[in-house]
Amino acid sequence: MADSELESALAKEGLAAEVIKVATEGGWTASAFKHVVETQAEVEGAIPEIFPGQILSRLQIAQIKAAWAGMQTSSSSSALPAPVNADPTLETWVESFAPKIASTKLSEMKRQFLANYPSEVLNPSTLPSLRLISLAAHQEARSEYKWIAWKHRMTEEKASELLIARPHKQPKLEMLGLSSLLLDDPPTIEVTDANMGISGIQRILAVHDVALAMVGSAHLARLKAYSCKFVQLVSQRFDPTSGLRAPTILEAQQADCRIWQSIHSLVSEKAWSLNDALHEFTEIRGELSTLLQARPKALFIPRGPDLKGKGKQVGQWKGLGKGQGRGKEKGGKPKGAPGRHITFVKEIQVGSEKKGLCVQWQIGRCTRGGSCPFVHACAYPKQAGANRVAGYDIQPAARPAEPVNVLPKSVSLLETNAGPVSSPAVQCPQGNVPSQPVLGDVTCNMPGRSRNEVTPGQERYFSGSGGIGILELWGAPRESFGPFISYGETWNALCVSRNILTSPHKDTANLPGSSNLTVGIGSYSDGGLWVEDQAGTVPQFIPKLGVTLPGKIVTTHHAPFKFPVHLWHCTQPWLGDRWVLTAFTLPGSS
């Protein structure tokens, strides 16, 4: 630009000719004046150098600034506007997939990869998909080694299968915006615990290693070292008794994401190379082992039958009640097996009339006691439709194979604690087992003692008149029941259970203020009774309350123990065959 342009620009703003002459004689041109400073605030500082020896007023300084600003505006307006998003590396708020690389570039990558790693084989089953290679190349160009989601890590063969299986859908333009039509929807694989195992993780990591090695991000050996350690930690096995398990597929995916986030931080913020970062997390740091460490197994608690018949049952109890269970459980009981289809008894024949069974009593919630108009009896049928009242069969049932009679064991225990019984056969005062014993107000037909059989996982309830009426019912002399009467109180019911593991509970159906007397017999070890005790040192979580209460563990094996019914209590695990006799008091019974 000639000097006349500078003169005209300054004269246009009204600057005096003699002042303009000083600048032009000093060698300043329009181009030099325009680039003397970067911002307008710096113009005033450069004026003494442009106009040496001149004392300028504020008006003249303002005229010079205006001339400089006018030259900046004219130069910017004459420049051509740059196209929007001309640079594909510009950051935008639109999330899109990486740009597709050209076929010639892909061929060059394959040739270079095979030259660097001659032992590797590239075919459709091992070659990364074009989208995966494009994404890896895009990250390599920007030096941003972010975590690539597992759903995008697939081979060219898998990508072709997904494209063939994808249905062709016509877009509904009235429901979609412009962005929905323009954004890409790349094919993805499903990553879940149900459809993927260790071999699936190996394929995902292997194709990712090849993709990064093809674009030159890291050496293939370093990538494979990370993948091998990852698979080794995920595939570890534990003894079933340890209560531990390996990470799931989704937990492993989350661990891989966390590691690559740390790797990206080292590369982008600490200027590490990708090879060094991979070596750091594979060989030096223990973060990978921590993220893939063993997890505790979920505790399996078997569910009992829901006599109310609400909801769907699972496991061995499926089919009980009137729930919404659908279909036949795979691997369950065969057709016709006991307990598959059970019809509970609703009413029973008592003497010459029929009486209904109390539903609340079945679940231990009946508080009406003797005023209850319904019969307190078990509604669970034993065999061929026969049911039990107060622990005895109403109708004679066939003797099961190899029955177990708990009575001799209980008598043997009582003999040990209170002296010998007059007769090992436990005769009644009349000399024979009664054929029509009276339990409360219910008359039962009990031809022989063999009806009092308890199989593993069962419990029977007995009731009678008086504190030890059920024991006297069997004909044993009163003095033989020392453990049950030495505490100075009486009970009207007895529970005989075999191998029953109870959760923390209170006996709310018992008479308020009464106590339970329990004793364990049989050949077993451990299996104590945890009882709530504010001074105890053994904590126990109470699921119904959602809190942990202090307590103590009492050994009841051949050692009767008495405790109030309002205390929380539960059974501890045992090993062997565990029988328990528990005397308690029901409300409303004489």
Side-chain angles (χ1 to χ4, degrees):
M1 180 178 291
D3 295 344
S4 58
E5 293 185 10
L6 177 59
E7 293 176 358
S8 61
L10 294 173
K12 182 180 179 181
E13 301 297 334
L15 189 63
E18 58 273 15
V19 178
I20 298 174
K21 184 178 180 181
V22 173
T24 55
E25 289 179 353
W28 287 92
T29 62
S31 178
F33 181 75
K34 183 173 64 175
H35 295 91
V36 65
V37 290
E38 295 293 335
T39 62
Q40 190 173 4
E42 300 172 343
V43 174
E44 188 172 354
I47 288 178
E49 184 178 353
I50 301 175
F51 303 94
Q54 298 293 319
I55 301 176
L56 302 176
S57 63
R58 290 192 174 276
L59 175 61
Q60 292 174 327
I61 294 175
Q63 291 172 344
I64 295 173
K65 287 183 177 181
W68 181 89
M71 297 178 68
Q72 301 296 326
T73 304
S74 60
S75 62
S76 61
S77 60
S78 62
L80 294 176
V84 179
N85 291 340
D87 186 1
T89 63
L90 292 178
E91 297 289 348
T92 65
W93 287 105
V94 180
E95 295 292 339
S96 59
F97 213 83
K100 179 181 178 181
I101 62 175
S103 58
T104 55
K105 181 65 175 178
L106 178 60
S107 301
E108 178 62 27
M109 288 181 178
K110 293 169 64 177
R111 285 194 297 268
Q112 186 63 37
F113 177 82
L114 294 176
N116 294 336
Y117 312 103
S119 61
E120 297 295 323
V121 177
L122 290 181
N123 52 39
S125 61
T126 59
L127 179 66
S129 65
L130 183 58
R131 290 182 178 273
L132 179 57
I133 297 178
S134 300
L135 182 56
H138 184 63
Q139 293 187 355
E140 173 63 22
R142 305 174 63 176
S143 297
E144 291 186 356
Y145 305 107
K146 297 181 179 180
W147 179 71
I148 300 178
W150 284 14
K151 63 180 181 179
H152 294 311
R153 302 185 187 182
M154 68 185 78
T155 62
E156 187 65 28
E157 183 180 35
K158 184 64 176 179
S160 301
E161 293 177 359
L162 293 176
L163 289 176
I164 294 175
R166 175 183 294 184
H168 180 69
K169 297 181 179 180
Q170 295 293 336
K172 298 179 180 180
L173 302 181
E174 67 276 6
M175 299 297 295
L176 298 177
L178 181 60
S179 60
S180 301
L181 295 175
L182 296 180
L183 289 180
D184 191 11
D185 184 19
T188 58
I189 57 177
E190 186 178 4
V191 180
T192 62
D193 294 324
N195 67 343
M196 185 174 291
I198 301 300
S199 60
I201 296 180
Q202 290 177 322
R203 290 192 297 269
I204 285 177
L205 297 179
V207 71
H208 180 253
D209 295 343
V210 174
L212 294 185
M214 287 183 64
V215 299
S217 299
H219 196 278
L220 184 61
R222 181 51 53 201
L223 293 165
K224 284 190 174 184
Y226 168 81
S227 299
C228 288
K229 184 172 183 179
F230 191 95
V231 173
Q232 178 185 0
L233 294 174
V234 173
S235 60
Q236 55 188 335
R237 293 292 178 261
F238 304 94
D239 188 86
T241 59
S242 65
L244 300 176
R245 62 169 179 85
T248 62
I249 301 299
L250 296 181
E251 291 171 345
Q253 178 181 228
Q254 186 179 16
D256 185 53
C257 178
R258 292 280 300 275
I259 292 296
W260 275 96
Q261 288 174 352
S262 302
I263 291 175
H264 173 68
S265 177
L266 288 181
V267 174
S268 60
E269 298 177 7
K270 306 298 182 180
W272 286 42
S273 67
L274 185 56
N275 283 318
D276 293 340
L278 286 169
H279 178 75
E280 178 76 10
F281 285 96
T282 304
E283 306 294 342
I284 308 301
R285 302 189 184 184
E287 188 172 348
L288 185 59
S289 300
T290 302
L291 294 174
L292 296 177
Q293 63 183 337
R295 272 78 165 166
K297 285 184 179 179
L299 180 62
F300 174 74
I301 302 178
R303 293 177 53 188
D306 185 3
L307 297 182
K308 293 186 291 185
K310 295 181 179 180
K312 182 174 69 173
Q313 300 295 331
V314 297
Q316 60 175 327
W317 304 106
K318 185 175 181 181
L320 299 181
K322 301 177 181 179
Q324 301 296 326
R326 297 177 295 178
K328 181 178 69 174
E329 184 179 3
K330 187 174 181 180
K333 292 186 177 182
K335 186 176 181 180
R340 182 175 177 83
H341 300 288
I342 299 176
T343 302
F344 290 95
V345 179
K346 297 181 180 179
E347 58 182 16
I348 59 174
Q349 185 74 29
V350 180
S352 60
E353 60 179 340
K354 289 186 177 181
K355 290 188 177 182
L357 298 180
C358 181
V359 177
Q360 293 297 321
W361 186 85
Q362 308 294 328
I363 58 177
R365 295 183 180 178
C366 182
T367 58
R368 291 170 289 196
S371 62
C372 182
F374 302 100
V375 178
H376 288 183
C378 180
Y380 186 86
K382 185 176 181 182
Q383 284 187 0
N387 68 312
R388 303 171 294 177
V389 177
Y392 301 98
D393 297 329
I394 291 182
Q395 300 176 357
R399 183 183 181 93
E402 299 182 2
V404 180
N405 195 338
V406 70
L407 187 61
K409 296 187 178 182
S410 62
V411 173
S412 175
L413 174 63
L414 296 176
E415 287 178 341
T416 304
N417 286 272
V421 189
S422 57
S423 172
V426 194
Q427 298 293 327
C428 289
Q430 296 83 1
N432 296 308
V433 177
S435 60
Q436 293 288 337
V438 178
L439 304 179
D441 59 348
V442 180
T443 302
C444 306
N445 179 15
M446 189 185 64
R449 235 180 10 246
S450 63
R451 298 294 174 257
N452 183 31
E453 296 156 1
V454 182
T455 58
Q458 276 191 337
E459 56 185 0
R460 286 177 179 265
Y461 293 88
F462 307 88
S463 62
S465 177
I468 54 175
I470 181 58
L471 301 177
E472 291 181 325
L473 173 65
W474 291 104
R478 174 178 286 267
E479 59 269 16
S480 67
F481 304 111
F484 292 89
I485 62 178
S486 61
Y487 290 88
E489 62 180 275
T490 59
W491 295 271
N492 61 17
L494 178 69
C495 173
V496 180
S497 63
R498 182 183 182 188
N499 296 336
I500 295 294
L501 179 66
T502 60
S503 58
H505 67 283
K506 289 182 179 180
D507 296 326
T508 56
N510 294 9
L511 181 67
S514 63
S515 299
N516 295 339
L517 179 62
T518 183
V519 62
I521 59 177
S523 178
Y524 69 92
S525 59
D526 299 330
L529 178 69
W530 180 89
V531 182
E532 176 187 358
D533 187 355
Q534 294 300 324
T537 58
V538 181
Q540 175 67 45
F541 179 72
I542 311 299
K544 292 184 179 180
L545 301 180
V547 298
T548 300
L549 298 179
K552 61 183 179 180
I553 296 179
V554 181
T555 301
T556 60
H557 192 202
H558 291 253
F561 175 70
K562 172 186 160 187
F563 63 95
V565 297
H566 69 275
L567 295 179
W568 290 91
H569 56 281
C570 64
T571 308
Q572 299 299 303
W574 70 88
L575 182 63
D577 194 16
R578 181 177 182 270
W579 295 76
V580 175
L581 306 178
T582 303
F584 58 97
T585 303
L586 295 174
S589 299
S590 58

